[in-house]
Amino acid sequence: MTGTFDMRGYYNEYVGATVAVDVVSCPGAYYNYWFSAQLSDDRNRQVHFHNERLTLGQDDRVGYELQIDAFQDPRYRFYGLGGGTDEEDESNYTHEEFGGFLDLYWLPVDNLRFSLGGKIRSVDLKRGAERLAADLSYTINEARFLGLAGIQGATVVGERVNLVYDGRNQEFTSSDGTYIKLTAEYAQVTSNPKSVSTYGRFSVDFSKYLSTVNQKFTLLLRNNWVFTTSENIPFFDQATLGGETTLRAFDLAGFMESLSFLAVSNCAGRLRIGFSLDFQMV
């Protein structure tokens, strides 16, 4: 068994004083627990739990993945939807969310796994951080957003199918290989008002690891696409390009493109700026 325990505290002008803890336990290969919690000024609170075990059954061919998240963050930004928005459209809101997913996996051959599962997202929007009020308007008070789906919060549940190719040489400290995850969801808005009752959501997550011969330097190339079959859905579940914290995201989940599943050409046209590069040195 291996694992890590980390406690940290810091202060900066963006989040104020922050204390956090991370606990990771790995009883075996592809069998791990991860718990993290964070408390900051401005009513920022986050709790995350993840448990994965892909080594059950005869010949380790079945498993599961469970994740639960609960957080409140008053620093979220929203700029509106679509390519015509820019940084001047910035507004602020508090994002409260409770949700998670459970996927049941089958591993027919090495490096390939298939799963069936479900997810839930219950999101509420409130006034943002008071210290930002002098510079930013509150999203929920903006007349231009009053008719936006999800602006009053919403609950989304969905059934999903995952297909994963995992050719990495290690799970946590990978230095070589390729990881591809394809997800197809059938989602339903279960809260009122219901902008649309059901819709499809499709995502592609791609990672490629490259390293030097002695594995001292590792280059990670990663891209994430999300497509939806409707644009009239809660804005926080809309299609994105590049991931929540990469392409066109001034802040977490703050700058999203309104793309339907059929608008693949629009998405592909921006691929040249859709790569996020992480460089790590060990």
Side-chain angles (χ1 to χ4, degrees), residues 78-82 85 89-91 144-145 148 254-257:
F78 187 65
Y79 302 79
L81 297 173
T85 56
D89 298 321
E90 184 178 19
S91 62
R144 57 192 169 126
F145 298 143
L148 182 67
F255 201 102
M256 295 178 290
E257 180 65 82

Side-chain angles (χ1 to χ4, degrees), residues 171-239:
E171 183 180 13
F172 285 106
T173 56
S174 307
S175 60
D176 183 64
T178 301
Y179 177 89
I180 304 173
K181 183 176 183 179
L182 308 177
T183 301
E185 294 180 357
Y186 178 73
Q188 306 96 45
V189 179
T190 61
S191 58
N192 289 312
K194 296 182 180 180
S195 54
V196 63
S197 56
T198 61
Y199 58 95
R201 196 169 189 269
F202 306 86
S203 66
V204 180
D205 189 5
F206 169 82
S207 299
K208 177 64 178 179
Y209 297 82
L210 302 168
S211 64
T212 56
V213 175
N214 58 8
Q215 297 186 354
K216 185 175 182 179
F217 299 96
T218 298
L219 177 67
L220 169 61
L221 304 175
R222 184 176 184 183
N223 203 317
N224 177 261
W225 289 7
V226 177
F227 310 94
T228 60
T229 58
S230 174
E231 295 183 2
N232 192 30
I233 63 177
F235 75 93
F236 55 82
D237 217 34
Q238 289 269 8

Side-chain angles (χ1 to χ4, degrees), residues 87-99:
E87 195 169 5
E88 296 180 355
D89 298 321
E90 184 178 19
S91 62
N92 169 234
Y93 69 95
T94 295
H95 184 106
E96 293 185 356
E97 178 168 347
F98 175 81

Side-chain angles (χ1 to χ4, degrees), residues 24 28 50 120 163 198 274:
V24 179
H50 181 265
I120 181 171
L163 180 63
T198 61

Side-chain angles (χ1 to χ4, degrees), residues 16 25 46 48 56 75 77 83 87 89 114 150 178 212 264 273:
S25 175
Q46 302 182 29
H48 169 84
L56 295 173
R75 301 162 300 166
R77 309 293 207 270
E87 195 169 5
D89 298 321
F114 172 83
T178 301
T212 56
V264 178
I273 58 174

